């Protein structure tokens, strides 16, 4: 049986042990910003973009609002016990780290395209060790396609390149690969960012509704009214998602958010079509 005991607290990295300047990675630079009001907390920046926030002494802590919302959706859908979770997009592994702390014994795989970054976050942060959390270097879409059917209870998509979600992980075909990797009734959680008129968010809803039986959307009311740029979270499953439990959990969060579901979500989607893989051009005929 694998040893699931955490390392002693004294062995966990401290803020003063971490680098103070930018560090080169495979795809750019990574840097750590200290929180002046909370000396044990750091934010990982990739380039100039905030990517992860971690409390070095409290692995269960989640700072980013979209991760708090994902935790509510997960707890409502799968209330108890460890889970098997695939994370598409690793960065600092803040969500997998919190999931292990909240649900000990979970088995998780994080997929990170930047191999140097994957090594650095192992050095910098007190991440669970394999098999509790493995980090695989690779493209999120390619790794998903390679998973055995029914391998995972939860798939979390948090993939960004230069603050944008790559198109190839937003398509109908990509969502179908996720559904194939999930167990029946499994949960797909998606983080995306958008700005008015929220066309990308509407297209994501349309895409997931084509593949999954039930979809929910959670976001700040100001974002949904088209007033500002920000994060939206989608949840999808091939079985009905809980509504009452999700709404109850969302009300306990520090900041107010809205849940769109059913006819209200259909109205948000409107007539926007799903996103599909771009067709591969036909090969040019050989020259004579």
């Amino acid at each position: 049986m694998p040893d699931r005991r955490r390392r002693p607290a004294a062995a966990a990295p401290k803020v003063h042990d971490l680098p103070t300047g930018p560090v080169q990675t495979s795809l750019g630079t990574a840097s750590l910003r200290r929180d002046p009001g909370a000396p044990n907390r750091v934010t990982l920046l990739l380039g100039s973009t905030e990517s992860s926030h971690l409390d070095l002494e409290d692995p269960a802590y989640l700072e980013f609002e979209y991760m708090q919302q994902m935790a509510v959706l997960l707890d409502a859908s799968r209330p108890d016990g460890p889970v098997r979770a695939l994370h598409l997009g690793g960065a600092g592994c803040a969500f997998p780290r919190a999931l292990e702390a909240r649900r000990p014994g979970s088995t998780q795989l994080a997929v990170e395209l930047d191999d140097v970054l994957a090594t650095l976050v192992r050095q910098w942060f007190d991440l669970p060790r394999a098999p509790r959390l493995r980090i695989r270097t690779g493209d999120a879409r390619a790794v998903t396609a390679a998973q055995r059917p029914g391998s995972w209870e939860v798939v979390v998509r948090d993939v960004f390149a230069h603050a944008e979600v790559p198109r190839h992980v937003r398509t109908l075909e990509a969502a179908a690969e996720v559904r194939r990797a999930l167990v029946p009734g499994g949960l797909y959680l998606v983080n995306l960012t958008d700005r008015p008129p929220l066309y990308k968010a509407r297209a994501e809803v349309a895409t997931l509704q084509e593949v999954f039986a039930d979809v929910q959307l959670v976001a700040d009311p100001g974002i949904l009214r088209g007033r500002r740029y920000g994060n939206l979270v989608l949840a999808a499953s091939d079985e009905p998602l809980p509504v009452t439990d999700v709404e109850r959990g969302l009300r306990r969060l520090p900041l107010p958010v809205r849940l769109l579901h059913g006819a209200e979500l259909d109205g948000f989607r409107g007539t926007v079509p799903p996103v599909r893989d771009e067709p591969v051009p036909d090969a040019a005929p050989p020259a004579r």
Side-chain angles (χ1 to χ4, degrees), residues 107-111 122 128-136 152:
T107 303
Q108 304 184 76
L109 171 63
V111 182
R122 279 283 190 203
R129 296 294 177 180
R132 289 151 48 207
L133 174 60
R134 294 175 291 133
I135 303 178
R136 180 176 300 174
W152 304 99

Side-chain angles (χ1 to χ4, degrees), residues 74 78 80-85 99 103-108 153-154:
L74 174 57
R78 309 189 81 82
D80 299 308
V83 295
R84 301 193 310 276
L99 189 54
R103 294 170 179 253
S106 294
T107 303
Q108 304 184 76
E153 296 170 301
V154 181

Side-chain angles (χ1 to χ4, degrees), residues 167-227:
R167 188 183 190 279
H168 75 293
V169 301
R170 296 188 286 111
T171 66
L172 187 151
E173 293 83 358
E177 291 168 356
V178 169
R179 180 175 177 178
R180 176 179 171 275
L182 283 167
V183 299
L187 179 66
Y188 185 29
L189 295 173
V190 167
N191 174 38
L192 66 138
T193 56
D194 205 358
R195 54 179 47 82
L198 302 179
Y199 183 85
K200 289 182 180 179
R202 299 176 202 275
E204 289 254 24
V205 171
T207 300
L208 295 186
Q209 286 181 333
E210 288 289 313
V211 177
F212 293 92
D214 203 7
V215 180
Q216 295 180 347
L217 183 149
V218 176
D220 178 284
I223 296 173
L224 291 175
R225 295 189 191 108
R227 294 179 179 175

Side-chain angles (χ1 to χ4, degrees), residues 13-178:
K14 301 297 182 183
V15 169
H16 59 73
D17 297 325
L18 300 175
T20 57
V23 178
Q24 191 68 36
T25 71
S26 301
L27 302 176
T29 60
S31 56
L32 298 172
R33 184 177 66 208
R34 278 72 171 167
D35 186 337
N40 296 310
R41 295 178 185 173
V42 294
T43 300
L44 170 66
L45 293 94
L46 300 179
S48 59
T49 302
E50 293 185 352
S51 180
S52 302
H53 183 98
L54 299 96
D55 186 316
L56 299 182
E57 293 192 352
D58 182 5
Y61 176 77
L62 293 171
E63 171 73 12
F64 289 169
E65 294 167 30
Y66 80 86
M67 289 189 182
Q68 297 172 11
Q69 295 159 18
M70 283 185 168
V72 168
L73 290 161
L74 174 57
D75 289 345
S77 299
R78 309 189 81 82
D80 299 308
V83 295
R84 301 193 310 276
L86 171 64
H87 301 265
L88 306 177
C93 291
F95 197 71
R97 181 173 177 259
L99 189 54
E100 162 66 20
R102 298 175 182 212
R103 294 170 179 253
S106 294
T107 303
Q108 304 184 76
L109 171 63
V111 182
E112 172 56 51
L113 187 61
D114 190 319
D115 58 338
V116 172
L117 179 65
T119 299
L120 290 173
V121 298
R122 279 283 190 203
Q123 298 171 359
W124 291 346
F125 309 130
D126 186 27
L127 299 180
R129 296 294 177 180
R132 289 151 48 207
L133 174 60
R134 294 175 291 133
I135 303 178
R136 180 176 300 174
T137 301
D139 174 78
R141 175 82 182 265
V143 173
T144 303
Q147 301 302 301
R148 295 191 304 273
S151 297
W152 304 99
E153 296 170 301
V154 181
V155 175
V156 180
R157 196 199 78 194
D158 197 3
V159 181
F160 285 83
H162 307 294
E164 295 289 340
V165 180
R167 188 183 190 279
H168 75 293
V169 301
R170 296 188 286 111
T171 66
L172 187 151
E173 293 83 358
E177 291 168 356
V178 169

